Amino acid sequence: MRTEEPRPIRLKDYQVPAFTTREVNLDIELDPKATRVHSKLAMERNETSADKTAPLVLDGEKLKLVEVRIDGERLGANRYSVTDKHLTIHDVPDGPFTLETVTSCAPEENTALTGLYLTDGIYCTQCEAEGFRRITYYLDRPDNMAVFRTRITGDKKSEPVLLSNGNPVNKGKTKDGRHFVEWHDPFPKPSYLFALVAGDLASVEDKFVTMSGREVTLRIFVEKGNEDRCAYAMEALKRSMKWDEERFGREYDLDIFMIVAVSAFNMGAMENKGLNVFNDKYILARPDTATDADYAAIEAIIAHEYFHNWTGNRITCRDWFQLCLKEGLTVFRDQEFTSDMRSRPVKRISDVRLLRAHQFPEDGGPLAHPVRPDSYIEINNFYTATVYEKGAELCRMIHTMAGPKRFRKGMDLYFERHDGEAATVEDFLDALGDGTKLDLTQFKRWYRQSGTPEVLASGRYDAARKTYTLKMSQVCPPTPGQRVKEPYHIPVAVGLVGPDGKDMPLTLDGEEKAGATTRVLHLTEREGTWRFRNVAEKPVPSLLRGFTAPVKLDANLKERDLVFLMRHDSDSFNRWEAAQRYATALLVKTVEAAREGAAPRQGMAFAEMVVDLLSARKIDPDFVAQIILLPSEQTLAQIAGENVDVDAIHKARESLRGSIAAHAKKALLSAYTRMEVKGPYNPDGGDAGRRALRNACLGYLAAAPGEDGVRLAAEQFRTASNMTDSIAALSVLSHIDCPERAAALAAFYERWKDDHLVMDKWLSIQAMSSLPGTLDEVKRLTGHPAFTMKNPNKVRALITSFASMNQLHFHDAKGAGYRFVADKVLELDKLNPQVAARLLGTFKSWRQFEPKRRKLMQKELKRIAGTEGLSRDVYEIATKTLA
Ligand code: B3K
Ligand code: ZN
């Protein structure tokens, strides 16, 4: 029960730790109820710490302390004190000393899935951010880096596999018939990168020869029976290793690299040194069980965690405020990897979509925080879209401004200067600034100021002088705790498209010769003006090409300019953007018209574009699949701003979808047939793109008048030879009240009921249905054997999908959706605070909705905030969301 309000931790209070740990020796004897941990730490006072007399305060939670020794001598109870958070030793020797503790913890009772826990008979750890303190007493902070030696003892039968970080150095039998393995990790690391896994696991093995010719053993551990689902993950790992060598000059450093897939995991995966632990959703894939999107996610997450070996592990964070130092940078790296493996424009589009769907609302709502936050109550609440996705955008901007070669120089310098250290954002920016020769002084504001800057642009063509003058200004709205913002350094890539649809060469005032057709302009003041010379005809400006900065741009474009750009822009991103803007404007106007009782706006340009693109032969199908999709209901709600009316949005979007489908029916049917992929399943971008387009067509066809859509979907569901096509058909049917729907859901269940990952798909498809009665269905499914609150994937599949992807029903006018999700947050908080707090995040945009719904959401938030015994995680989100 909460007796006092949790106190925020602040960046400005950072102090170097009073002690350092040189070496860690762990001796862990596994037991579900009482795992015994004997820890031996080589410690000493930190020379650089200001406080030379401070007592030794170690972190520890949910531990039973058995004994404490210093230099072998057992301490009496008067020499230390223990609370539920700390072990304090009042007096320690002046020089180096050995601190030993014996503690026990109960993995079986651990439902929070942080620290050491048991899932399906497998022991597993999750230590980032502060889970190590649930395993043993320790200075559990990332600037305390030590060399680890870990001995694990377990049962030969139930735990034949015993894993930890580094290289295996010893193994044997114990007197009592158990066995042990000893691991040694020569690279000093913070405790959050510690890992232990034990259980009866199967494995697949491969090898990789590094650029210097060292052979590394690669091993993926999975539950027995899943060995045939690891091939793609293994391939992705080898490609990641190679890519990091080529693109960043980074080589792997241990003799072995291991990945373990477990089914109960709080997030996607974890980059523990030499022993990555993964949510099995991001490892296991077979054509009949995983979709193209699953394959793509596996590739990206394998790469992400592997890339952390340098950006995160070799160079780690000084404190948790620096989280973006490893996360933003590593996301940028994995985005680049995917762009090299697949279609770069499509990857950019999907990353920007993600940024706008999650980060923009975060940045514009009550939970807004800078990419480097300056205070937190619970650090686990700060693994956010802002830290990750906006953090990646900041790295991308430096990359855009420097160009790839100079960016690489900056990165080389960063690795050279800080390898083996716990670094800060300042260290990163200094190295990048020195290496790229960019002045990043003003740029640093991006890390400090929260909120999404708004850029307003307008252009004027002077036909007599043949000049085009572009004016841009910036403003950033106030965010919690930050009323006034200093101007940002915003790189804006610009092109001018001539009436013939071709890019014009750009000559800025003062320049002799024409430069490239896309130029990066730097908006550094509140306002800026640029004049282009020799502009033969009136152009249409294409601004922020490739989305060079995470801003909201208002380019003042007319409908006909958008139609022009969506047909002609040479920059694929902006071509997609123009189509989205055109459709968004149309839908927003339709919603407004409906409020006044007027008929929907008819804009045929989008439907005509759909027809033309579907008939064009040369365009990447994956790109076409992206550009023909209408903005989501969530996006429309965001754009609509205040007083969002979810029913009107749903209706307007459905009706536009219907009219596009009616207009383009012939082209849709023909593309649907033409895009069929024959031959064996291949998850690569090419085939996946064809399937994406084919399934996008199916979606439209189901919205067209007539029965063709349902018939095709039912047929595709019956004959699909892979999960992508099967789930696409099922998803189309899930929104239609027809006998085929129930039959398909039942058949799908029968076929896959024993496969927990496929069952997650079955749950979420039902949770996202737009049909009336969905909430009751979701409630019913919480009692289904395929669901349990103890597994985060199940919670995300059913409840989070409902709350975040089903705008229509979550925002039920009477508040039943809110009540249901709030109840689940409270129920889950008792089991797993981290996942509960995430789920509560679905309430963050409550102020945007029309007054009735706003009130209903506020009521639920208040009910949660007023509940006794909340975790810090949920407490922080609830109170900040309400503030
Ligand atoms: N570093 C982990 C995330 C840890 C989250 C802790 N609540 C995975 C990743 O970003 O690679
Ligand atoms: Zn990461």
Side-chain angles (χ1 to χ4, degrees), residues 416-611:
E416 193 181 305
R417 281 187 191 165
H418 299 291
D419 184 15
E421 288 179 10
T424 60
V425 166
E426 281 74 13
D427 294 332
F428 175 71
L429 290 178
D430 285 348
L432 266 286
D434 292 348
T436 58
K437 306 220 167 10
L438 288 171
D439 180 358
L440 298 174
T441 324
Q442 183 187 2
F443 187 80
K444 198 176 162 194
R445 288 178 190 155
W446 280 107
Y447 285 87
R448 222 178 29 231
Q449 298 186 148
S450 54
T452 308
E454 295 167 3
V455 173
L456 189 69
S458 62
R460 204 170 44 83
Y461 181 63
D462 185 331
R465 292 202 172 82
K466 302 270 177 255
T467 58
Y468 184 80
T469 309
L470 177 67
K471 274 198 165 106
M472 293 195 279
S473 62
Q474 58 165 308
V475 51
C476 183
T479 44
Q482 293 190 351
R483 242 172 24 85
V484 188
K485 315 285 167 101
E486 297 297 318
Y488 291 80
H489 181 170
I490 305 176
V492 185
V494 172
L496 298 180
V497 188
D500 59 354
K502 296 214 172 77
D503 279 350
M504 297 173 154
L506 304 180
T507 320
L508 277 166
D509 243 1
E511 288 177 348
E512 290 278 306
K513 281 195 293 190
T517 50
T518 300
R519 302 281 294 266
V520 177
L521 307 179
H522 297 262
L523 175 61
T524 53
E525 310 287 326
R526 294 200 191 276
E527 266 181 32
T529 305
W530 291 264
R531 203 165 68 158
F532 297 94
R533 296 193 297 119
N534 301 336
V535 184
E537 285 172 284
K538 188 176 181 202
V540 178
S542 168
L543 305 180
L544 206 69
R545 284 187 155 173
F547 201 70
T548 46
V551 300
K552 291 185 184 164
L553 169 71
D554 179 352
N556 252 315
L557 293 183
K558 307 233 161 28
E559 196 175 293
R560 71 177 132 79
D561 295 335
L562 291 173
V563 171
F564 179 78
L565 289 178
M566 76 195 201
R567 286 183 170 271
H568 299 294
D569 203 321
S570 67
D571 182 73
S572 304
F573 177 83
N574 265 8
R575 199 169 167 190
W576 169 80
E577 178 80 337
Q580 291 291 300
R581 281 188 187 242
Y582 172 84
T584 305
L586 192 65
L587 287 164
V588 168
K589 279 183 204 140
T590 305
V591 170
E592 280 162 8
R595 201 172 292 150
E596 269 121 48
R601 276 278 319 260
Q602 290 300 329
M604 289 322 286
F606 198 91
E608 278 155 17
M609 176 197 71
V610 171
V611 172

Side-chain angles (χ1 to χ4, degrees), residues 135 184 358 573:
I135 298 174
H184 175 239
H358 300 289
F573 177 83

